[in-house]
Amino acid sequence: MKVVCNQQNLVQGLSRVVPAAATRNTMPILSHVLIRGRANGLDLVATDLQIGMESRIEAEIVDGGGVTIPARKLFDIVRELPGGSVQIAMDDGGRVSIKSGSFSCRIVALPEEEFPVLPTVEESRTLEMDPVIFASMVHKTAFAVSQDETRMNLTGLYIKTEVGSTDLEMVATDSHRLALSRHQLTQPSPLSLGVLVPRKAMEEVARLAGEQEGPVRITAAQTHAKFTVGPVTILARLIEGKFPPYAQVIPKETQRRLSLNREEFLSATRRIQ
């Protein structure tokens, strides 16, 4: 394998997928990023088996093929390069050379065949959301996700909508507090959703949504949800278990309602922390 690409494009592509690489795992391959040269560009893939992220950048493919490189080491090296073109090539000894201008280094790599294959989620029906609204809903609810891994059904964000409905809800709870965000879709939903997505995956989608102008595309299968944000695809393994019946704990009516100035209220709470 031998490819040549722009340094800024490579940094941007790696910054999109490296967060999915495992930092602590008994499988070394999961801390690597897969770099795969194809006729129409360079694929960058990372996964920790719970979340997988894939992006594509423009590149000159001198010799096709793929190789895996320690993700964070590669990212740290590439982002410090001065700019211009970067050449990545694999030699017969299982090492990858990185060259840019007067800089050159070699890194021990692992073969592409050891890297896990990301699951396939068919996009027969896809829900599209405004990226700003999606990111806002995640921000408003993610803080309530439980950190208790013994209660896995509380460690993610629940997304709910029905076919033909314009109502979409995003919910999180740790059993002590509950955060619910509702949104009116501009078009009736083409699919039903009742999926529990890991917090990490949702926050990564929200991060990428803040960088894009196009819609967030959502689809789901029995075990995985798929999010597409611009040139990036995020695959998240759904959390097994039933999400609590949150509607039952929300009062239908309230006798009193209090309105406060937002900034004054936040300032007051900071003063007494």
Side-chain angles (χ1 to χ4, degrees), residues 127 161-168 185 187-191:
L127 172 67
T161 189
E162 300 291 342
V163 171
S165 173
T166 57
D167 297 325
L168 184 139
L185 301 170
Q187 298 290 335
S189 174
L191 75 167

Side-chain angles (χ1 to χ4, degrees), residues 21-32 47-50 110 114 116:
T23 54
R24 301 185 189 90
N25 202 288
T26 56
M27 298 174 61
I29 192 68
L30 297 181
S31 65
H32 286 219
T47 182
D48 63 1
L49 298 183
Q50 299 301 315
L110 292 175
E114 293 187 20

Side-chain angles (χ1 to χ4, degrees), residues 7-19:
Q7 183 262 355
Q8 291 185 351
N9 289 346
L10 183 56
V11 169
Q12 186 178 53
L14 288 171
S15 69
R16 292 168 175 163
V17 304
V18 164

Side-chain angles (χ1 to χ4, degrees), residues 108-141:
V108 176
L110 292 175
E112 177 185 10
E113 293 74 22
E114 293 187 20
F115 197 82
V117 178
L118 297 186
T120 300
V121 177
E122 298 295 334
E123 294 190 40
S124 56
R125 295 182 179 180
T126 302
L127 172 67
E128 294 189 354
M129 285 189 65
D130 180 279
V132 175
I133 292 173
F134 182 92
S136 175
M137 294 181 75
V138 173
H139 176 71
K140 291 175 180 177
T141 55

